[in-house]
Amino acid sequence: MKKDKILVIGACGQIGVELTLALRKMYGDTNVVASDLREEHELLKGTGPYVSLDVMNKEMLHVLIIRHNITQVYLLAAILSATGEKNPLLAWHINMQSLLNVLDIAKEENIDKVYWPSSIAVFGPNSPMQDTPQHTIIEPTTIYGISKFAGERWCEYYHHRYGVDVRSLRYPGLISYKSAPGGGTTDYAVEIFHEAKEHKQYTSFLSENTYLPMMYMPDAIRATIELMEADASKISVRSAYNLSAMSFSPKEIAAEIKKHIPEFTISYEPDYRQQIADGWPNSMDDSLARADWGWKHEYDLAKMTEDMFKNI
Ligand code: NAD
């Protein structure tokens, strides 16, 4: 029997750190190779093998996969929504080429499974905003969303044409305390906790009633691993599954924070990220993920807020 050997690409990012640690617990420390462009994250040090890797270098990636007998790849390296708008061509290049490098090597080397995340950013202003369905109008307006939508199509193509077992989730905005967010439009929902604790005040870059789908990191990590562990016969979507837990606005999260820090105040100075958020869903319908492989979220706004303040 072939032993699982996992490569995480982009392991030092907001998701990568926690996902790598969770995978090491499940598969054994030495069976999960972490890699990133950046220096090894503090929380990963001493927990397992670490390799410096630029995923854009296909030859290096190929050699790494062969040398370590990799059987599963988690590709998390990407340029996120807000950063992407500052340099659209770079974001397109990195987000697409990294995925094509991984998919193509997976095909050649018969990699067992590939994970690559998509995002709620695939949706655009013409998609239904409430309970956005799995299958609907998809007309993204940010380069990040365009690259995620194209990536979803490539994943489905590699699955149908070459049999690559690639799986994907459309993550909502992710809230965490272990590793900092990397330049997304939902980053405010992480910053607000730190500012509330340190300065009792936060200026939001999104307006008070901007509702976005959100999820606490432990739920996102569990969803990712549950999807990857599910029997292939249960996976009916080979582009990317809608995934959902909660939806709130800056005003609502501020009210929840006030329950823990009564003197906390919030003000609003929307910037260029407001326009990005305005094109995204307010909430998502993830019934297909729930029906196909049993997805169930655990954290709502109140439970997440409590846990964040326990840990930051
Ligand atoms: P992040 O920016 O925090 O981390 C990405 C990591 O990739 C960084 O550590 C970066 O150094 C690394 N990286 C960038 N270019 C690289 C390269 N060429 N070679 C190797 N490593 C490289 O991002 P994240 O929030 O952890 O997101 C991970 C994935 O999840 C991305 O695909 C992102 O689009 C997706 N996603 C994230 C969210 C969220 O709220 N965090 C929401 C939806 C989708």
Side-chain angles (χ1 to χ4, degrees):
M1 201 178 83
K2 208 159 71 161
K3 212 170 160 213
D4 289 312
K5 194 86 196 281
I6 297 175
L7 173 65
V8 182
I9 303 168
C12 295
Q14 190 194 7
I15 302 171
V17 170
E18 296 202 39
L19 188 61
T20 301
L21 294 174
L23 289 170
R24 283 183 174 158
K25 245 188 210 153
M26 279 183 69
Y27 291 91
D29 292 347
T30 52
N31 294 322
V32 180
V33 179
S35 72
D36 202 294
L37 262 186
R38 305 193 217 178
E39 238 182 74
E40 188 174 15
H41 193 282
E42 277 305 314
L43 292 175
L44 293 183
K45 282 186 182 161
T47 69
Y50 184 77
V51 181
S52 177
L53 172 79
D54 181 353
V55 66
M56 302 299 280
N57 187 333
K58 190 176 177 189
E59 262 170 57
M60 287 292 288
L61 175 66
H62 204 153
V63 167
L64 183 72
I65 284 175
I66 292 173
R67 190 178 292 157
H68 289 268
N69 297 312
I70 297 298
T71 62
Q72 293 188 31
V73 178
Y74 286 71
L75 170 58
L76 304 172
I79 303 286
L80 270 58
S81 57
T83 313
E85 289 310 290
K86 291 182 184 153
N87 195 340
L89 290 181
L90 182 75
W92 170 257
H93 180 55
I94 290 182
N95 292 356
M96 288 328 319
Q97 201 55 50
S98 58
L99 177 60
L100 292 175
N101 286 351
V102 168
L103 287 175
D104 213 47
I105 295 171
K107 175 190 100 185
E108 255 177 72
E109 298 301 330
N110 284 320
I111 296 290
D112 288 345
K113 287 179 205 170
V114 173
Y115 178 76
W116 168 84
S118 184
S119 161
I120 54 167
V122 293
F123 298 110
N126 295 326
S127 312
M129 289 278 166
Q130 301 295 345
D131 292 327
T132 309
Q134 176 74 37
H135 301 289
T136 184
I137 295 170
I138 295 197
E139 294 175 353
T141 50
T142 60
I143 198 61
Y144 176 68
I146 294 170
S147 72
K148 288 295 184 189
F149 184 43
E152 287 188 4
R153 299 288 90 219
W154 274 112
C155 287
E156 198 181 87
Y157 184 86
Y158 264 78
H159 177 69
H160 288 147
R161 175 100 197 253
Y162 304 116
V164 174
D165 188 348
V166 51
R167 305 175 182 200
S168 178
L169 298 169
R170 289 172 179 156
Y171 288 136
L174 300 179
I175 293 133
S176 64
Y177 58 86
K178 287 191 182 158
S179 182
T185 303
T186 52
D187 290 5
Y188 92 85
V190 178
E191 291 168 11
I192 194 169
F193 284 102
H194 296 279
E195 292 299 309
K197 195 178 169 199
E198 281 162 37
H199 303 115
K200 321 271 180 255
Q201 202 282 328
Y202 181 65
T203 305
S204 169
F205 59 75
L206 296 183
S207 66
E208 60 182 332
N209 290 320
T210 306
Y211 280 84
L212 287 170
M214 299 280 190
M215 182 175 283
Y216 196 32
M217 190 61 88
D219 270 345
I221 300 296
R222 192 167 49 78
T224 306
I225 292 176
E226 284 178 10
L227 173 73
M228 289 297 275
E229 291 284 299
D231 195 277
S233 63
K234 292 194 169 154
I235 313 290
S236 69
V237 175
R238 289 296 181 165
S239 50
Y241 278 98
N242 278 11
L243 186 75
S244 162
M246 59 183 118
S247 164
F248 57 76
S249 62
K251 192 175 166 182
E252 278 185 8
I253 192 175
E256 196 58 41
I257 286 173
K258 256 174 145 359
K259 292 181 190 165
H260 298 258
I261 304 178
E263 61 275 40
F264 175 68
T265 59
I266 184 165
S267 55
Y268 303 94
E269 280 177 23
D271 66 13
Y272 69 100
R273 289 168 280 195
Q274 183 65 44
Q275 205 186 346
I276 301 178
D278 286 343
W280 288 357
N282 298 338
S283 60
M284 300 252 283
D285 173 1
D286 65 350
S287 47
L288 212 53
R290 289 173 194 262
D292 279 6
W293 45 277
W295 165 241
K296 245 191 195 151
H297 71 277
E298 204 184 305
Y299 287 88
D300 60 13
L301 177 57
K303 196 170 171 192
M304 174 185 78
T305 305
E306 209 180 302
D307 201 63
M308 281 295 281
F309 280 124
K310 243 188 246 161
N311 286 291
I312 59 170

